[in-house]
Amino acid sequence: MMLQILAEPWPWYIAGPAIGLMVPLLLFVLNKSFGVSSSLKHLCAMCSVSNARFFKYDWKKETWNLMFVFGVFLGAVLVAKYVPSESLVGISDATAEKLSGMGITDFTGLMPEQLFSFSHMLNPATLISVVLGGFFVGFGTRYAGGCTSGHAIMGLSQFSLGSLVAVIGFFIGGLFVSWIILPSILSLI
Amino acid sequence: MKHIYALLLGVLFGGILVKAEVVSWFRIQEMFWFQSFHMYGIIGSAIAVGALSIWIMKRFGAKSINGDFINPSPKPLHKKANLFGGIIFGLGWALTGACPGPLYALVGSGYGIMLVAILSAMLGVVAYGHLKDKLPH
């Protein structure tokens, strides 16, 4: 019964408050602010990939953050193994229709195989989505000082003005890609 | 011990991200096209719960389990960096369909190709580390 409930995709009013609870849990257990993207910097510092001053700090003090993101990976592994969702991702019909019109035919899984699989790795659409997109995620989050967790959730929970500016930026960038750029990218598939 | 706690909290967070479909590229495009309330409901209610918990913890002088007062410092305001960096991250968010948490969760969900996205994100961090002093903040 319990597993059956877990196997269903969660509605927003369960998932959102559950994510919000990460804020007090991290504060209470570790006295740390909720955030994910700085882990990318600690990974760079840990692997000594650059000698820039930006990476000269004691990353070992941030091990908790690396453990946290390793946990995120592990949590997804456990869900996939024990309580996978069997249905398609519950997007609206309008979104499915719009994506079909742009050439997406496979709606199984969490992301379209046509775009996100090693067999399409050298397709320009995949390179743009994965390689360029990933680069922007790393560069942008360090420049802005946080991501959806650190700015949108932790920052806005503290009514931080900088976080509000950053979140407005997230949407300027995201809307530009989804409305203006995405149709051209998908036409490359 | 605290590293074990961090790991367990991460497991919880990763599990929620997958079950809520927040890790789905389809959901991210749907959000930016304003075709569903799902992602807005999640982010909005997460902020509401986060803000309320911080207010309560401060109001009652709550201490963490190691005995220190809970008083998270707010992120500093750097208008230009917040805006320009935010826009660049937004481009990446819509292109990959994933923010940093989901990147790790997608690898765990079997999308090995997102390891390439994580390596590329690290390259982006290195690029920022080298250009930092030349960029407006």
Side-chain angles (χ1 to χ4, degrees):
Chain A
M1 178 62 194
M2 191 62 200
L3 280 183
Q4 209 175 352
I5 291 171
L6 280 174
E8 302 286 322
W10 295 2
W12 68 265
Y13 50 85
I14 304 286
I19 291 173
L21 282 176
M22 296 310 298
V23 169
L25 279 173
L26 278 166
L27 286 170
F28 179 67
V29 177
L30 301 168
N31 212 358
K32 296 290 181 191
S33 290
F34 179 46
V36 174
S37 63
S38 50
S39 63
L40 294 166
K41 180 184 175 184
H42 308 324
L43 283 174
C44 292
M46 182 175 84
C47 304
S48 312
V49 289
S50 158
N51 52 19
R53 210 175 58 224
F54 188 61
F55 301 103
K56 298 269 182 286
Y57 65 98
D58 187 9
W59 62 267
K60 290 198 182 82
K61 284 190 177 147
E62 311 293 338
T63 306
W64 76 272
N65 194 249
L66 293 172
M67 293 300 286
F68 183 70
V69 299
F70 182 66
V72 171
F73 160 81
L74 209 59
V77 171
L78 293 174
V79 166
K81 188 161 166 54
Y82 295 107
V83 282
S85 305
E86 274 150 29
S87 45
L88 296 180
V89 170
I91 49 169
S92 67
D93 295 343
T95 306
E97 220 166 276
K98 192 161 168 168
L99 286 171
S100 299
M102 292 180 184
I104 297 289
T105 48
D106 184 355
F107 288 87
T108 55
L110 296 166
M111 36 193 355
E113 287 281 331
Q114 295 160 280
L115 211 47
F116 297 97
S117 58
F118 281 117
S119 52
H120 298 100
M121 188 66 228
L122 294 179
N123 187 304
T126 302
L127 287 173
I128 293 169
S129 301
V130 175
V131 180
L132 188 66
F135 185 89
F136 284 155
V137 168
F139 191 98
T141 51
R142 276 314 87 218
Y143 192 4
C147 60
T148 333
S149 316
H151 270 315
I153 295 175
M154 187 67 197
L156 291 185
S157 288
Q158 296 169 284
F159 307 105
S160 145
L161 183 60
S163 293
L164 181 63
V165 174
V167 173
I168 291 170
F170 298 171
F171 273 83
I172 295 174
L175 290 172
F176 177 73
V177 165
S178 286
W179 286 85
I180 316 280
I181 309 290
L182 191 69
S184 313
I185 295 175
L186 294 184
S187 71
L188 298 170
I189 290 179
Chain B
M1 196 60 204
K2 63 176 189 177
H3 291 158
I4 304 291
Y5 291 144
L7 182 79
L8 291 176
L9 288 175
V11 168
L12 182 64
F13 183 49
I16 299 168
L17 286 177
V18 177
K19 292 314 300 186
E21 301 178 338
V22 171
V23 298
S24 169
W25 178 93
F26 299 111
R27 282 289 190 192
I28 300 305
Q29 305 309 332
E30 179 190 56
M31 170 183 79
F32 284 127
W33 288 337
F34 304 110
Q35 287 173 325
S36 166
F37 182 69
H38 184 77
M39 287 296 301
Y40 295 100
I42 287 179
I43 297 173
S45 59
I47 295 168
V49 169
L52 187 67
S53 344
I54 290 177
W55 182 80
I56 292 173
M57 288 175 136
K58 281 189 176 171
R59 171 74 181 73
F60 294 101
K63 288 179 180 172
S64 70
I65 53 177
N66 66 9
D68 298 329
F69 278 107
I70 294 171
N71 190 17
S73 41
K75 283 185 186 280
L77 170 68
H78 300 292
K79 267 178 276 181
K80 286 180 187 157
N82 292 145
L83 182 64
F84 300 149
I87 292 173
I88 295 169
F89 165 56
L91 300 173
W93 189 10
L95 283 174
T96 56
C99 38
L103 281 181
Y104 298 108
L106 282 165
V107 177
S109 303
Y111 292 90
I113 194 170
M114 295 318 267
L115 265 179
V116 178
I118 292 177
L119 287 174
S120 203
M122 287 170 66
L123 200 65
V125 173
V126 170
Y128 173 73
H130 283 269
L131 293 173
K132 187 173 186 254
D133 296 333
K134 299 189 181 86
L135 297 167
H137 284 75

